Amino acid sequence: MKLIFLGPPGAGKGTQAKRLASEFRVAHISTGDMLRAAVSAGSDLGKQVQATIDSGQLVSDDLMLELIKARTLETDCANGYILDGFPRTTAQAEALTKMLAERSEQTPSVLLIEVSEADVKARLQDRLAKEGRADDDVNVQLERLRVYQKQTAPLIQYYRERNNLSVIEGTGTVDEVYQRLTTAVSSKK
Ligand code: AMP
């Protein structure tokens, strides 16, 4: 099973992807978590990306692709994986399609978690209060939303045209959204 989770920051992708990955015994690949771990570890990669993450902008496509190419070859991906936070640009989506074609693997199914802008803003404020994440101060939140609209939202059309997009209503409780996701995933099998 290979899935891509799309949706604005604060849509609940991380929570849902983690749960689904554990139930289906596939890897949960969160590029945001990978980058934050690199920053915490103080690695060269971490030093390279810290300012970009803190500003709410996107890390370069080349760097992200390099990360994804290596990560998806790790043994825990043998059963499949859920991509959470990648691809985020059309260039990344095209590169992913190419990478999978080179490996003779199909393009994953894409699940869009749809949430209204007002809900997204409320959730981001909530997350800010709970986690105190450095990249989540109010201005950065708004910048991240703008970046999503401009650079990532076009992927909805990209995947819609390739017939592998399912739209999941992202409002409601975590359990309600999870139920909708599992129904959508099961119908694809
Ligand atoms: P996330 O936790 O997915 O919201 O990611 C946190 C930050 O990491 C983003 O705001 C970006 O700066 C960076 N990031 C994560 N995934 C990507 C990606 N696929 N392309 C570019 N930057 C990314």
Side-chain angles (χ1 to χ4, degrees), residues 107-146:
T107 302
S109 300
V110 185
L111 299 170
L112 167 67
I113 304 187
E114 209 167 47
V115 181
S116 76
E117 195 166 326
D119 269 8
V120 163
K121 285 186 178 161
R123 286 186 195 193
L124 284 171
Q125 296 282 7
D126 192 47
R127 188 198 283 183
L128 173 65
K130 282 193 188 134
E131 293 179 13
R133 267 167 52 167
D135 60 338
D136 271 343
D137 75 61
V138 176
N139 288 330
V140 175
Q141 281 179 34
L142 294 175
E143 183 58 20
R144 282 158 53 89
L145 275 179
R146 277 193 290 271

PDB file of all heavy atoms in Angstrom, residues 107-146:
ATOM      1  N   THR A 107       2.057   4.877  -9.278  1.00  0.00           N
ATOM      2  CA  THR A 107       1.831   6.109  -8.513  1.00  0.00           C
ATOM      3  C   THR A 107       0.880   5.786  -7.359  1.00  0.00           C
ATOM      4  O   THR A 107      -0.116   5.101  -7.553  1.00  0.00           O
ATOM      5  CB  THR A 107       1.202   7.194  -9.413  1.00  0.00           C
ATOM      6  OG1 THR A 107       2.085   7.408 -10.504  1.00  0.00           O
ATOM      7  CG2 THR A 107       1.025   8.500  -8.672  1.00  0.00           C
ATOM      8  N   PRO A 108       1.190   6.250  -6.166  1.00  0.00           N
ATOM      9  CA  PRO A 108       0.322   5.954  -5.018  1.00  0.00           C
ATOM     10  C   PRO A 108      -1.067   6.581  -5.143  1.00  0.00           C
ATOM     11  O   PRO A 108      -1.259   7.509  -5.931  1.00  0.00           O
ATOM     12  CB  PRO A 108       1.066   6.600  -3.842  1.00  0.00           C
ATOM     13  CG  PRO A 108       2.433   6.886  -4.324  1.00  0.00           C
ATOM     14  CD  PRO A 108       2.342   7.060  -5.800  1.00  0.00           C
ATOM     15  N   SER A 109      -2.003   6.080  -4.359  1.00  0.00           N
ATOM     16  CA  SER A 109      -3.302   6.741  -4.248  1.00  0.00           C
ATOM     17  C   SER A 109      -3.138   7.998  -3.395  1.00  0.00           C
ATOM     18  O   SER A 109      -2.331   8.010  -2.458  1.00  0.00           O
ATOM     19  CB  SER A 109      -4.306   5.836  -3.548  1.00  0.00           C
ATOM     20  OG  SER A 109      -4.456   4.662  -4.284  1.00  0.00           O
ATOM     21  N   VAL A 110      -3.911   8.999  -3.699  1.00  0.00           N
ATOM     22  CA  VAL A 110      -3.782  10.271  -3.001  1.00  0.00           C
ATOM     23  C   VAL A 110      -5.056  10.556  -2.211  1.00  0.00           C
ATOM     24  O   VAL A 110      -6.164  10.458  -2.750  1.00  0.00           O
ATOM     25  CB  VAL A 110      -3.527  11.418  -4.001  1.00  0.00           C
ATOM     26  CG1 VAL A 110      -3.271  12.724  -3.262  1.00  0.00           C
ATOM     27  CG2 VAL A 110      -2.350  11.081  -4.908  1.00  0.00           C
ATOM     28  N   LEU A 111      -4.893  10.866  -0.939  1.00  0.00           N
ATOM     29  CA  LEU A 111      -6.037  11.221  -0.099  1.00  0.00           C
ATOM     30  C   LEU A 111      -5.911  12.681   0.295  1.00  0.00           C
ATOM     31  O   LEU A 111      -4.922  13.071   0.924  1.00  0.00           O
ATOM     32  CB  LEU A 111      -6.046  10.344   1.161  1.00  0.00           C
ATOM     33  CG  LEU A 111      -6.166   8.838   0.917  1.00  0.00           C
ATOM     34  CD1 LEU A 111      -5.916   8.071   2.201  1.00  0.00           C
ATOM     35  CD2 LEU A 111      -7.543   8.497   0.377  1.00  0.00           C
ATOM     36  N   LEU A 112      -6.886  13.459  -0.104  1.00  0.00           N
ATOM     37  CA  LEU A 112      -6.895  14.877   0.268  1.00  0.00           C
ATOM     38  C   LEU A 112      -7.779  15.060   1.493  1.00  0.00           C
ATOM     39  O   LEU A 112      -8.973  14.737   1.456  1.00  0.00           O
ATOM     40  CB  LEU A 112      -7.438  15.717  -0.896  1.00  0.00           C
ATOM     41  CG  LEU A 112      -7.798  17.171  -0.574  1.00  0.00           C
ATOM     42  CD1 LEU A 112      -6.553  17.986  -0.232  1.00  0.00           C
ATOM     43  CD2 LEU A 112      -8.533  17.821  -1.762  1.00  0.00           C
ATOM     44  N   ILE A 113      -7.199  15.555   2.589  1.00  0.00           N
ATOM     45  CA  ILE A 113      -8.007  15.863   3.773  1.00  0.00           C
ATOM     46  C   ILE A 113      -8.420  17.327   3.658  1.00  0.00           C
ATOM     47  O   ILE A 113      -7.584  18.230   3.756  1.00  0.00           O
ATOM     48  CB  ILE A 113      -7.237  15.585   5.073  1.00  0.00           C
ATOM     49  CG1 ILE A 113      -6.751  14.135   5.079  1.00  0.00           C
ATOM     50  CG2 ILE A 113      -8.123  15.872   6.282  1.00  0.00           C
ATOM     51  CD1 ILE A 113      -6.124  13.679   6.380  1.00  0.00           C
ATOM     52  N   GLU A 114      -9.711  17.520   3.404  1.00  0.00           N
ATOM     53  CA  GLU A 114     -10.212  18.859   3.125  1.00  0.00           C
ATOM     54  C   GLU A 114     -10.773  19.512   4.391  1.00  0.00           C
ATOM     55  O   GLU A 114     -11.618  18.918   5.060  1.00  0.00           O
ATOM     56  CB  GLU A 114     -11.325  18.762   2.073  1.00  0.00           C
ATOM     57  CG  GLU A 114     -11.452  19.978   1.217  1.00  0.00           C
ATOM     58  CD  GLU A 114     -12.333  19.712   0.011  1.00  0.00           C
ATOM     59  OE1 GLU A 114     -13.430  19.139   0.184  1.00  0.00           O
ATOM     60  OE2 GLU A 114     -11.926  20.057  -1.102  1.00  0.00           O
ATOM     61  N   VAL A 115     -10.283  20.701   4.686  1.00  0.00           N
ATOM     62  CA  VAL A 115     -10.717  21.429   5.881  1.00  0.00           C
ATOM     63  C   VAL A 115     -10.862  22.902   5.505  1.00  0.00           C
ATOM     64  O   VAL A 115     -10.048  23.425   4.747  1.00  0.00           O
ATOM     65  CB  VAL A 115      -9.655  21.292   7.014  1.00  0.00           C
ATOM     66  CG1 VAL A 115     -10.093  22.025   8.261  1.00  0.00           C
ATOM     67  CG2 VAL A 115      -9.397  19.844   7.350  1.00  0.00           C
ATOM     68  N   SER A 116     -11.884  23.574   6.037  1.00  0.00           N
ATOM     69  CA  SER A 116     -12.088  24.985   5.700  1.00  0.00           C
ATOM     70  C   SER A 116     -10.950  25.832   6.276  1.00  0.00           C
ATOM     71  O   SER A 116     -10.308  25.438   7.256  1.00  0.00           O
ATOM     72  CB  SER A 116     -13.412  25.486   6.267  1.00  0.00           C
ATOM     73  OG  SER A 116     -13.269  25.690   7.661  1.00  0.00           O
ATOM     74  N   GLU A 117     -10.737  27.005   5.667  1.00  0.00           N
ATOM     75  CA  GLU A 117      -9.644  27.858   6.126  1.00  0.00           C
ATOM     76  C   GLU A 117      -9.832  28.278   7.592  1.00  0.00           C
ATOM     77  O   GLU A 117      -8.866  28.312   8.360  1.00  0.00           O
ATOM     78  CB  GLU A 117      -9.541  29.088   5.224  1.00  0.00           C
ATOM     79  CG  GLU A 117      -8.223  29.794   5.440  1.00  0.00           C
ATOM     80  CD  GLU A 117      -7.895  30.809   4.356  1.00  0.00           C
ATOM     81  OE1 GLU A 117      -8.252  30.582   3.183  1.00  0.00           O
ATOM     82  OE2 GLU A 117      -7.290  31.834   4.698  1.00  0.00           O
ATOM     83  N   ALA A 118     -11.086  28.541   7.987  1.00  0.00           N
ATOM     84  CA  ALA A 118     -11.346  28.954   9.373  1.00  0.00           C
ATOM     85  C   ALA A 118     -10.959  27.826  10.334  1.00  0.00           C
ATOM     86  O   ALA A 118     -10.320  28.056  11.368  1.00  0.00           O
ATOM     87  CB  ALA A 118     -12.819  29.310   9.543  1.00  0.00           C
ATOM     88  N   ASP A 119     -11.313  26.598   9.982  1.00  0.00           N
ATOM     89  CA  ASP A 119     -10.970  25.446  10.820  1.00  0.00           C
ATOM     90  C   ASP A 119      -9.464  25.261  10.915  1.00  0.00           C
ATOM     91  O   ASP A 119      -8.927  24.950  11.977  1.00  0.00           O
ATOM     92  CB  ASP A 119     -11.583  24.162  10.246  1.00  0.00           C
ATOM     93  CG  ASP A 119     -12.961  23.904  10.826  1.00  0.00           C
ATOM     94  OD1 ASP A 119     -13.464  24.789  11.530  1.00  0.00           O
ATOM     95  OD2 ASP A 119     -13.523  22.824  10.559  1.00  0.00           O
ATOM     96  N   VAL A 120      -8.793  25.427   9.766  1.00  0.00           N
ATOM     97  CA  VAL A 120      -7.342  25.265   9.742  1.00  0.00           C
ATOM     98  C   VAL A 120      -6.692  26.271  10.680  1.00  0.00           C
ATOM     99  O   VAL A 120      -5.820  25.919  11.475  1.00  0.00           O
ATOM    100  CB  VAL A 120      -6.800  25.447   8.303  1.00  0.00           C
ATOM    101  CG1 VAL A 120      -5.317  25.706   8.313  1.00  0.00           C
ATOM    102  CG2 VAL A 120      -7.098  24.219   7.471  1.00  0.00           C
ATOM    103  N   LYS A 121      -7.158  27.508  10.629  1.00  0.00           N
ATOM    104  CA  LYS A 121      -6.568  28.538  11.483  1.00  0.00           C
ATOM    105  C   LYS A 121      -6.797  28.208  12.961  1.00  0.00           C
ATOM    106  O   LYS A 121      -5.890  28.340  13.779  1.00  0.00           O
ATOM    107  CB  LYS A 121      -7.131  29.915  11.136  1.00  0.00           C
ATOM    108  CG  LYS A 121      -6.514  30.427   9.836  1.00  0.00           C
ATOM    109  CD  LYS A 121      -6.920  31.846   9.518  1.00  0.00           C
ATOM    110  CE  LYS A 121      -6.218  32.285   8.224  1.00  0.00           C
ATOM    111  NZ  LYS A 121      -6.834  33.425   7.589  1.00  0.00           N
ATOM    112  N   ALA A 122      -8.003  27.746  13.285  1.00  0.00           N
ATOM    113  CA  ALA A 122      -8.306  27.392  14.677  1.00  0.00           C
ATOM    114  C   ALA A 122      -7.414  26.237  15.133  1.00  0.00           C
ATOM    115  O   ALA A 122      -6.872  26.251  16.246  1.00  0.00           O
ATOM    116  CB  ALA A 122      -9.780  27.013  14.805  1.00  0.00           C
ATOM    117  N   ARG A 123      -7.232  25.243  14.270  1.00  0.00           N
ATOM    118  CA  ARG A 123      -6.406  24.086  14.656  1.00  0.00           C
ATOM    119  C   ARG A 123      -4.944  24.464  14.831  1.00  0.00           C
ATOM    120  O   ARG A 123      -4.259  23.947  15.702  1.00  0.00           O
ATOM    121  CB  ARG A 123      -6.489  23.003  13.580  1.00  0.00           C
ATOM    122  CG  ARG A 123      -7.809  22.270  13.593  1.00  0.00           C
ATOM    123  CD  ARG A 123      -7.737  21.139  12.625  1.00  0.00           C
ATOM    124  NE  ARG A 123      -9.048  20.619  12.329  1.00  0.00           N
ATOM    125  CZ  ARG A 123      -9.253  19.476  11.711  1.00  0.00           C
ATOM    126  NH1 ARG A 123      -8.238  18.743  11.317  1.00  0.00           N
ATOM    127  NH2 ARG A 123     -10.466  19.058  11.470  1.00  0.00           N
ATOM    128  N   LEU A 124      -4.459  25.345  13.955  1.00  0.00           N
ATOM    129  CA  LEU A 124      -3.059  25.747  14.065  1.00  0.00           C
ATOM    130  C   LEU A 124      -2.809  26.495  15.377  1.00  0.00           C
ATOM    131  O   LEU A 124      -1.784  26.277  16.031  1.00  0.00           O
ATOM    132  CB  LEU A 124      -2.651  26.610  12.867  1.00  0.00           C
ATOM    133  CG  LEU A 124      -2.426  25.821  11.576  1.00  0.00           C
ATOM    134  CD1 LEU A 124      -2.246  26.775  10.389  1.00  0.00           C
ATOM    135  CD2 LEU A 124      -1.222  24.898  11.673  1.00  0.00           C
ATOM    136  N   GLN A 125      -3.762  27.323  15.776  1.00  0.00           N
ATOM    137  CA  GLN A 125      -3.628  28.035  17.055  1.00  0.00           C
ATOM    138  C   GLN A 125      -3.566  27.043  18.200  1.00  0.00           C
ATOM    139  O   GLN A 125      -2.774  27.193  19.129  1.00  0.00           O
ATOM    140  CB  GLN A 125      -4.860  28.951  17.285  1.00  0.00           C
ATOM    141  CG  GLN A 125      -5.018  30.054  16.283  1.00  0.00           C
ATOM    142  CD  GLN A 125      -4.066  31.226  16.542  1.00  0.00           C
ATOM    143  OE1 GLN A 125      -3.206  31.129  17.395  1.00  0.00           O
ATOM    144  NE2 GLN A 125      -4.218  32.297  15.777  1.00  0.00           N
ATOM    145  N   ASP A 126      -4.402  26.023  18.114  1.00  0.00           N
ATOM    146  CA  ASP A 126      -4.467  24.992  19.130  1.00  0.00           C
ATOM    147  C   ASP A 126      -3.128  24.247  19.219  1.00  0.00           C
ATOM    148  O   ASP A 126      -2.593  24.009  20.303  1.00  0.00           O
ATOM    149  CB  ASP A 126      -5.598  24.024  18.734  1.00  0.00           C
ATOM    150  CG  ASP A 126      -5.938  23.082  19.859  1.00  0.00           C
ATOM    151  OD1 ASP A 126      -6.079  23.578  20.985  1.00  0.00           O
ATOM    152  OD2 ASP A 126      -6.058  21.871  19.606  1.00  0.00           O
ATOM    153  N   ARG A 127      -2.593  23.913  18.048  1.00  0.00           N
ATOM    154  CA  ARG A 127      -1.326  23.188  18.009  1.00  0.00           C
ATOM    155  C   ARG A 127      -0.197  24.042  18.587  1.00  0.00           C
ATOM    156  O   ARG A 127       0.660  23.567  19.310  1.00  0.00           O
ATOM    157  CB  ARG A 127      -0.996  22.806  16.558  1.00  0.00           C
ATOM    158  CG  ARG A 127       0.203  21.890  16.452  1.00  0.00           C
ATOM    159  CD  ARG A 127       0.765  21.866  15.068  1.00  0.00           C
ATOM    160  NE  ARG A 127      -0.012  21.060  14.148  1.00  0.00           N
ATOM    161  CZ  ARG A 127       0.360  20.870  12.885  1.00  0.00           C
ATOM    162  NH1 ARG A 127       1.439  21.423  12.395  1.00  0.00           N
ATOM    163  NH2 ARG A 127      -0.371  20.124  12.088  1.00  0.00           N
ATOM    164  N   LEU A 128      -0.243  25.322  18.245  1.00  0.00           N
ATOM    165  CA  LEU A 128       0.768  26.258  18.752  1.00  0.00           C
ATOM    166  C   LEU A 128       0.769  26.240  20.281  1.00  0.00           C
ATOM    167  O   LEU A 128       1.819  26.141  20.915  1.00  0.00           O
ATOM    168  CB  LEU A 128       0.456  27.663  18.236  1.00  0.00           C
ATOM    169  CG  LEU A 128       1.306  28.799  18.807  1.00  0.00           C
ATOM    170  CD1 LEU A 128       2.757  28.639  18.404  1.00  0.00           C
ATOM    171  CD2 LEU A 128       0.769  30.136  18.335  1.00  0.00           C
ATOM    172  N   ALA A 129      -0.434  26.286  20.858  1.00  0.00           N
ATOM    173  CA  ALA A 129      -0.555  26.310  22.316  1.00  0.00           C
ATOM    174  C   ALA A 129      -0.037  25.009  22.920  1.00  0.00           C
ATOM    175  O   ALA A 129       0.662  25.012  23.933  1.00  0.00           O
ATOM    176  CB  ALA A 129      -2.015  26.525  22.695  1.00  0.00           C
ATOM    177  N   LYS A 130      -0.337  23.885  22.277  1.00  0.00           N
ATOM    178  CA  LYS A 130       0.027  22.576  22.857  1.00  0.00           C
ATOM    179  C   LYS A 130       1.504  22.236  22.680  1.00  0.00           C
ATOM    180  O   LYS A 130       2.132  21.704  23.573  1.00  0.00           O
ATOM    181  CB  LYS A 130      -0.796  21.472  22.197  1.00  0.00           C
ATOM    182  CG  LYS A 130      -2.205  21.408  22.741  1.00  0.00           C
ATOM    183  CD  LYS A 130      -2.874  20.125  22.291  1.00  0.00           C
ATOM    184  CE  LYS A 130      -4.344  20.136  22.652  1.00  0.00           C
ATOM    185  NZ  LYS A 130      -5.194  19.703  21.571  1.00  0.00           N
ATOM    186  N   GLU A 131       2.036  22.475  21.486  1.00  0.00           N
ATOM    187  CA  GLU A 131       3.388  21.994  21.184  1.00  0.00           C
ATOM    188  C   GLU A 131       4.456  23.067  21.308  1.00  0.00           C
ATOM    189  O   GLU A 131       5.642  22.745  21.434  1.00  0.00           O
ATOM    190  CB  GLU A 131       3.455  21.447  19.747  1.00  0.00           C
ATOM    191  CG  GLU A 131       2.634  20.195  19.536  1.00  0.00           C
ATOM    192  CD  GLU A 131       2.713  19.700  18.104  1.00  0.00           C
ATOM    193  OE1 GLU A 131       3.589  20.168  17.346  1.00  0.00           O
ATOM    194  OE2 GLU A 131       1.884  18.858  17.736  1.00  0.00           O
ATOM    195  N   GLY A 132       4.039  24.308  21.194  1.00  0.00           N
ATOM    196  CA  GLY A 132       5.017  25.390  21.226  1.00  0.00           C
ATOM    197  C   GLY A 132       6.076  25.237  20.148  1.00  0.00           C
ATOM    198  O   GLY A 132       7.249  25.540  20.363  1.00  0.00           O
ATOM    199  N   ARG A 133       5.695  24.745  18.970  1.00  0.00           N
ATOM    200  CA  ARG A 133       6.677  24.534  17.897  1.00  0.00           C
ATOM    201  C   ARG A 133       7.230  25.861  17.402  1.00  0.00           C
ATOM    202  O   ARG A 133       6.504  26.805  17.170  1.00  0.00           O
ATOM    203  CB  ARG A 133       6.017  23.800  16.721  1.00  0.00           C
ATOM    204  CG  ARG A 133       6.199  22.317  16.821  1.00  0.00           C
ATOM    205  CD  ARG A 133       5.306  21.579  15.880  1.00  0.00           C
ATOM    206  NE  ARG A 133       5.424  22.058  14.512  1.00  0.00           N
ATOM    207  CZ  ARG A 133       4.929  21.406  13.476  1.00  0.00           C
ATOM    208  NH1 ARG A 133       4.317  20.263  13.649  1.00  0.00           N
ATOM    209  NH2 ARG A 133       5.045  21.880  12.274  1.00  0.00           N
ATOM    210  N   ALA A 134       8.534  25.906  17.230  1.00  0.00           N
ATOM    211  CA  ALA A 134       9.184  27.165  16.859  1.00  0.00           C
ATOM    212  C   ALA A 134       8.663  27.714  15.529  1.00  0.00           C
ATOM    213  O   ALA A 134       8.609  28.916  15.320  1.00  0.00           O
ATOM    214  CB  ALA A 134      10.688  26.955  16.787  1.00  0.00           C
ATOM    215  N   ASP A 135       8.251  26.819  14.628  1.00  0.00           N
ATOM    216  CA  ASP A 135       7.811  27.292  13.309  1.00  0.00           C
ATOM    217  C   ASP A 135       6.332  27.658  13.296  1.00  0.00           C
ATOM    218  O   ASP A 135       5.752  27.923  12.264  1.00  0.00           O
ATOM    219  CB  ASP A 135       8.116  26.256  12.221  1.00  0.00           C
ATOM    220  CG  ASP A 135       7.426  24.931  12.448  1.00  0.00           C
ATOM    221  OD1 ASP A 135       7.060  24.632  13.591  1.00  0.00           O
ATOM    222  OD2 ASP A 135       7.254  24.185  11.487  1.00  0.00           O
ATOM    223  N   ASP A 136       5.713  27.659  14.449  1.00  0.00           N
ATOM    224  CA  ASP A 136       4.272  27.885  14.475  1.00  0.00           C
ATOM    225  C   ASP A 136       3.855  29.199  15.127  1.00  0.00           C
ATOM    226  O   ASP A 136       2.759  29.301  15.630  1.00  0.00           O
ATOM    227  CB  ASP A 136       3.567  26.709  15.179  1.00  0.00           C
ATOM    228  CG  ASP A 136       3.210  25.621  14.178  1.00  0.00           C
ATOM    229  OD1 ASP A 136       3.207  25.912  12.969  1.00  0.00           O
ATOM    230  OD2 ASP A 136       2.929  24.505  14.606  1.00  0.00           O
ATOM    231  N   ASP A 137       4.690  30.210  15.116  1.00  0.00           N
ATOM    232  CA  ASP A 137       4.151  31.468  15.616  1.00  0.00           C
ATOM    233  C   ASP A 137       3.170  31.998  14.571  1.00  0.00           C
ATOM    234  O   ASP A 137       3.161  31.549  13.424  1.00  0.00           O
ATOM    235  CB  ASP A 137       5.257  32.458  16.009  1.00  0.00           C
ATOM    236  CG  ASP A 137       5.932  33.080  14.830  1.00  0.00           C
ATOM    237  OD1 ASP A 137       5.248  33.762  14.055  1.00  0.00           O
ATOM    238  OD2 ASP A 137       7.147  32.869  14.685  1.00  0.00           O
ATOM    239  N   VAL A 138       2.338  32.918  14.991  1.00  0.00           N
ATOM    240  CA  VAL A 138       1.182  33.257  14.153  1.00  0.00           C
ATOM    241  C   VAL A 138       1.556  33.661  12.726  1.00  0.00           C
ATOM    242  O   VAL A 138       0.968  33.183  11.752  1.00  0.00           O
ATOM    243  CB  VAL A 138       0.351  34.375  14.828  1.00  0.00           C
ATOM    244  CG1 VAL A 138      -0.790  34.809  13.931  1.00  0.00           C
ATOM    245  CG2 VAL A 138      -0.191  33.873  16.149  1.00  0.00           C
ATOM    246  N   ASN A 139       2.563  34.514  12.589  1.00  0.00           N
ATOM    247  CA  ASN A 139       2.925  34.950  11.232  1.00  0.00           C
ATOM    248  C   ASN A 139       3.431  33.815  10.374  1.00  0.00           C
ATOM    249  O   ASN A 139       3.139  33.741   9.185  1.00  0.00           O
ATOM    250  CB  ASN A 139       3.997  36.048  11.298  1.00  0.00           C
ATOM    251  CG  ASN A 139       3.392  37.330  11.797  1.00  0.00           C
ATOM    252  OD1 ASN A 139       2.211  37.585  11.569  1.00  0.00           O
ATOM    253  ND2 ASN A 139       4.193  38.127  12.491  1.00  0.00           N
ATOM    254  N   VAL A 140       4.179  32.918  11.004  1.00  0.00           N
ATOM    255  CA  VAL A 140       4.695  31.779  10.248  1.00  0.00           C
ATOM    256  C   VAL A 140       3.539  30.853   9.849  1.00  0.00           C
ATOM    257  O   VAL A 140       3.509  30.335   8.734  1.00  0.00           O
ATOM    258  CB  VAL A 140       5.794  31.027  11.034  1.00  0.00           C
ATOM    259  CG1 VAL A 140       6.242  29.780  10.298  1.00  0.00           C
ATOM    260  CG2 VAL A 140       6.977  31.933  11.266  1.00  0.00           C
ATOM    261  N   GLN A 141       2.577  30.714  10.740  1.00  0.00           N
ATOM    262  CA  GLN A 141       1.394  29.900  10.403  1.00  0.00           C
ATOM    263  C   GLN A 141       0.716  30.429   9.151  1.00  0.00           C
ATOM    264  O   GLN A 141       0.359  29.678   8.248  1.00  0.00           O
ATOM    265  CB  GLN A 141       0.358  29.979  11.516  1.00  0.00           C
ATOM    266  CG  GLN A 141       0.631  29.115  12.702  1.00  0.00           C
ATOM    267  CD  GLN A 141      -0.448  29.310  13.742  1.00  0.00           C
ATOM    268  OE1 GLN A 141      -1.606  29.534  13.409  1.00  0.00           O
ATOM    269  NE2 GLN A 141      -0.080  29.223  14.981  1.00  0.00           N
ATOM    270  N   LEU A 142       0.532  31.743   9.140  1.00  0.00           N
ATOM    271  CA  LEU A 142      -0.151  32.338   7.994  1.00  0.00           C
ATOM    272  C   LEU A 142       0.689  32.169   6.729  1.00  0.00           C
ATOM    273  O   LEU A 142       0.162  31.890   5.653  1.00  0.00           O
ATOM    274  CB  LEU A 142      -0.454  33.819   8.258  1.00  0.00           C
ATOM    275  CG  LEU A 142      -1.459  34.035   9.393  1.00  0.00           C
ATOM    276  CD1 LEU A 142      -1.623  35.512   9.692  1.00  0.00           C
ATOM    277  CD2 LEU A 142      -2.814  33.408   9.060  1.00  0.00           C
ATOM    278  N   GLU A 143       2.006  32.293   6.886  1.00  0.00           N
ATOM    279  CA  GLU A 143       2.895  32.116   5.736  1.00  0.00           C
ATOM    280  C   GLU A 143       2.811  30.671   5.228  1.00  0.00           C
ATOM    281  O   GLU A 143       2.763  30.422   4.022  1.00  0.00           O
ATOM    282  CB  GLU A 143       4.343  32.467   6.147  1.00  0.00           C
ATOM    283  CG  GLU A 143       5.361  32.398   5.028  1.00  0.00           C
ATOM    284  CD  GLU A 143       5.039  33.307   3.845  1.00  0.00           C
ATOM    285  OE1 GLU A 143       4.262  34.268   3.995  1.00  0.00           O
ATOM    286  OE2 GLU A 143       5.557  33.027   2.744  1.00  0.00           O
ATOM    287  N   ARG A 144       2.769  29.737   6.150  1.00  0.00           N
ATOM    288  CA  ARG A 144       2.678  28.323   5.754  1.00  0.00           C
ATOM    289  C   ARG A 144       1.384  28.059   4.985  1.00  0.00           C
ATOM    290  O   ARG A 144       1.365  27.283   4.027  1.00  0.00           O
ATOM    291  CB  ARG A 144       2.764  27.423   6.998  1.00  0.00           C
ATOM    292  CG  ARG A 144       4.184  27.267   7.522  1.00  0.00           C
ATOM    293  CD  ARG A 144       4.209  26.860   8.984  1.00  0.00           C
ATOM    294  NE  ARG A 144       3.405  25.690   9.260  1.00  0.00           N
ATOM    295  CZ  ARG A 144       3.842  24.443   9.202  1.00  0.00           C
ATOM    296  NH1 ARG A 144       5.086  24.207   8.913  1.00  0.00           N
ATOM    297  NH2 ARG A 144       3.041  23.447   9.461  1.00  0.00           N
ATOM    298  N   LEU A 145       0.306  28.703   5.422  1.00  0.00           N
ATOM    299  CA  LEU A 145      -0.962  28.543   4.703  1.00  0.00           C
ATOM    300  C   LEU A 145      -0.886  29.146   3.302  1.00  0.00           C
ATOM    301  O   LEU A 145      -1.372  28.553   2.330  1.00  0.00           O
ATOM    302  CB  LEU A 145      -2.098  29.233   5.464  1.00  0.00           C
ATOM    303  CG  LEU A 145      -2.770  28.420   6.555  1.00  0.00           C
ATOM    304  CD1 LEU A 145      -3.841  29.250   7.233  1.00  0.00           C
ATOM    305  CD2 LEU A 145      -3.397  27.158   5.957  1.00  0.00           C
ATOM    306  N   ARG A 146      -0.243  30.317   3.212  1.00  0.00           N
ATOM    307  CA  ARG A 146      -0.080  30.958   1.892  1.00  0.00           C
ATOM    308  C   ARG A 146       0.767  30.073   0.980  1.00  0.00           C
ATOM    309  O   ARG A 146       0.451  29.884  -0.192  1.00  0.00           O
ATOM    310  CB  ARG A 146       0.594  32.330   2.033  1.00  0.00           C
ATOM    311  CG  ARG A 146      -0.378  33.457   2.384  1.00  0.00           C
ATOM    312  CD  ARG A 146       0.279  34.817   2.200  1.00  0.00           C
ATOM    313  NE  ARG A 146       1.310  35.073   3.202  1.00  0.00           N
ATOM    314  CZ  ARG A 146       1.087  35.640   4.391  1.00  0.00           C
ATOM    315  NH1 ARG A 146      -0.126  36.038   4.720  1.00  0.00           N
ATOM    316  NH2 ARG A 146       2.064  35.831   5.238  1.00  0.00           N
TER     317      ARG A 146
END
